[in-house]
Amino acid sequence: MAKVPGMSSDFAGWYTDTFMDEGARRDMRWKGVVELAGKATHITVEVLARLAFRTVVPASGRKGESLDEEYASVLSTISGGDPYIDGVRDARELQVLAAATLSRLLGTMPDAALVVTTAAAGGLRKVNLPMDLVGLAESAIIALSARKHIRQNEEELLLAAPKVAFAVDGDNLATMQYEQFRTHFEKLHGAASAAIERVVTAQNRVVKQLHGRIRLGEEELQMLWWLTGGHSKSVNKPFGKVPDAARPLVLAEELGELTNVSPGPGSIRAMLARAGVGSGKVKLSDAVNTVGAEWAKSASTSALISPATTPIHFALEQRSEMGSTDAWQAGWSSLTGLSVDAQLPSAKLAELFYREHVFLYVES
């Protein structure tokens, strides 16, 4: 059976190859994917990432989280309104559908691209999907960053004078009665108001674009001064004096604090390298313990921190709450599904922590 008009050929292939179905069920699922992608929010992508990566913590949320309603909405929408969809029985199908929805969002929603890479945790989490979701997300982050840093053409900011569509036959003016005058004045008022509204809408668009450019310029300037100064404000030390194990987190956090627009500039890797974050491997637990409990607490204030999508921030949160370098590790491992001995190259750890920060704290 041919795919429905408008169905992505990628989705058609993913679904058919995985479930040997190219009929009405596939068509219904496609409609659900499109609908969900059209209304996805920051919380939606959290649920989708948990489904796509089959994380230890459920997509419906754990104690203290409020994901129940969003999870129910995701299941209802992504299934195309199928009342018989079941989160346990249909876990594999939901995994593929969630990944397909995320892949559809990658080109337009920075949060989706960021959360895929942070959930993957630098390859520490392996996922069996019919597409290279992480690779697609990495490419999307580069493209989104480049797009947001394109300078607008001056002509795109110029506003054209509006035309007021109103006319009165001069021959009729002498014989017009009060009601006729009032009717024409009402038409004139409506036409003028519509013209003014078009001007205001266009002006707001220009202001928004200029404001965005100012924010990006401020971001670039502050990052340049930070890199030139070579001094960590949060630990009050030159970059080179920050302990090797702590440096990826400390410097990534400070770059995150300077970021105004998601997903951040494409030069983040280069800046981290220039600041002295090396390529040698470091244990995540060593990095978390080296920064200290107070720093860990200050860096993990978001209510959206998740063991599924922000495991590094979750480690810092657990470290600060437990007040011990050892007590937090077992609970963190059981909830994230990651080993306490997990190691990553320092540069990758820093980049992931930066992306987690942007996902948690920076608007798209």
Side-chain angles (χ1 to χ4, degrees):
M1 181 181 293
K3 64 187 178 70
V4 297
M7 181 184 292
S8 160
S9 58
D10 285 335
F11 177 83
W14 297 334
Y15 195 89
T16 300
D17 291 346
T18 306
F19 303 109
M20 301 300 174
D21 186 322
E22 56 180 18
R25 184 183 180 92
R26 183 189 67 174
D27 298 346
M28 178 170 63
R29 299 301 194 239
W30 167 248
K31 292 177 182 177
V33 165
V34 172
E35 182 182 350
L36 183 58
K39 63 180 183 180
T41 66
H42 187 94
I43 302 301
T44 307
V45 298
E46 171 73 29
V47 173
L48 289 173
R50 294 185 182 198
L51 289 171
F53 284 87
R54 303 285 290 273
T55 55
V56 174
V57 288
S60 57
R62 61 192 177 97
K63 184 178 180 180
E65 292 182 318
S66 55
L67 295 178
D68 284 342
E69 289 187 11
E70 186 65 30
Y71 173 73
S73 176
V74 166
L75 259 60
S76 175
T77 306
I78 205 172
S79 66
D82 184 351
Y84 302 108
I85 193 77
D86 182 87
V88 177
R89 183 194 65 226
D90 302 314
R92 173 58 175 165
E93 185 177 11
L94 287 170
Q95 180 186 29
V96 174
L97 293 174
T101 307
L102 286 168
S103 70
R104 185 172 176 83
L105 291 168
L106 292 179
T108 57
M109 189 177 187
D111 279 345
L114 290 169
V115 82
V116 168
T117 63
T118 59
L124 296 177
R125 283 199 184 108
K126 306 297 182 182
V127 62
N128 177 24
L129 290 169
M131 78 289 284
D132 179 10
L133 186 61
V134 178
L136 292 172
E138 291 286 356
S139 297
I141 289 174
I142 294 172
L144 285 165
S145 178
R147 192 184 311 157
K148 294 211 171 185
H149 285 76
I150 293 175
R151 300 187 183 277
Q152 287 91 357
N153 189 312
E154 181 180 346
E155 294 181 357
E156 297 175 358
L157 303 177
L158 298 178
L159 303 180
K163 294 183 179 180
V164 178
F166 176 81
V168 178
D169 188 344
D171 294 336
N172 295 329
L173 285 173
T175 59
M176 277 187 185
Q177 301 299 313
Y178 170 76
E179 289 298 327
Q180 292 173 306
F181 270 110
R182 189 175 71 173
T183 298
H184 281 293
F185 273 115
E186 288 176 351
K187 289 181 179 179
L188 176 60
H189 177 269
S193 296
I196 292 172
E197 185 176 347
R198 291 197 300 273
V199 172
V200 171
T201 299
Q203 183 65 45
N204 287 341
R205 173 184 58 81
V206 171
V207 170
K208 184 177 181 180
Q209 289 178 329
L210 292 176
H211 180 63
R213 174 50 53 190
I214 291 171
R215 292 177 69 203
L216 284 172
E218 181 66 15
E219 175 184 280
E220 293 170 353
L221 179 61
Q222 293 303 319
M223 287 183 175
L224 178 61
W225 280 117
W226 175 84
L227 192 59
T228 302
H231 191 274
S232 166
K233 180 181 178 181
S234 63
V235 298
N236 194 26
K237 291 180 180 179
F239 292 164
K241 297 295 184 180
V242 179
D244 290 346
R247 198 176 301 161
L249 302 189
V250 170
L251 300 190
E253 173 73 5
E254 294 188 5
L255 274 177
E257 291 288 345
L258 297 174
T259 302
N260 292 324
V261 182
S262 181
S267 56
I268 286 297
R269 293 179 186 176
M271 282 191 280
L272 287 167
R274 185 66 180 270
V277 176
S279 57
K281 286 193 173 184
V282 60
K283 286 177 63 174
L284 190 146
S285 57
D286 287 343
V288 170
N289 286 333
T290 303
V291 295
E294 285 304 314
W295 192 97
K297 182 178 181 179
S298 67
S300 57
T301 58
S302 173
L304 300 174
I305 289 174
S306 157
T309 58
T310 57
I312 309 172
H313 277 83
F314 182 62
L316 292 169
E317 182 182 72
Q318 294 292 290
R319 162 78 175 90
S320 64
E321 289 180 357
M322 297 292 184
S324 164
T325 58
D326 298 319
W328 67 270
Q329 296 186 36
W332 174 85
S333 182
S334 66
L335 288 170
T336 61
L338 302 174
S339 169
V340 293
D341 295 320
Q343 295 186 45
L344 286 171
S346 294
K348 173 56 70 175
L349 178 62
E351 184 179 46
L352 286 173
F353 190 58
Y354 171 81
R355 290 178 178 178
E356 286 188 8
H357 177 96
V358 174
F359 175 65
L360 290 170
Y361 299 105
V362 181
E363 68 179 69
S364 298

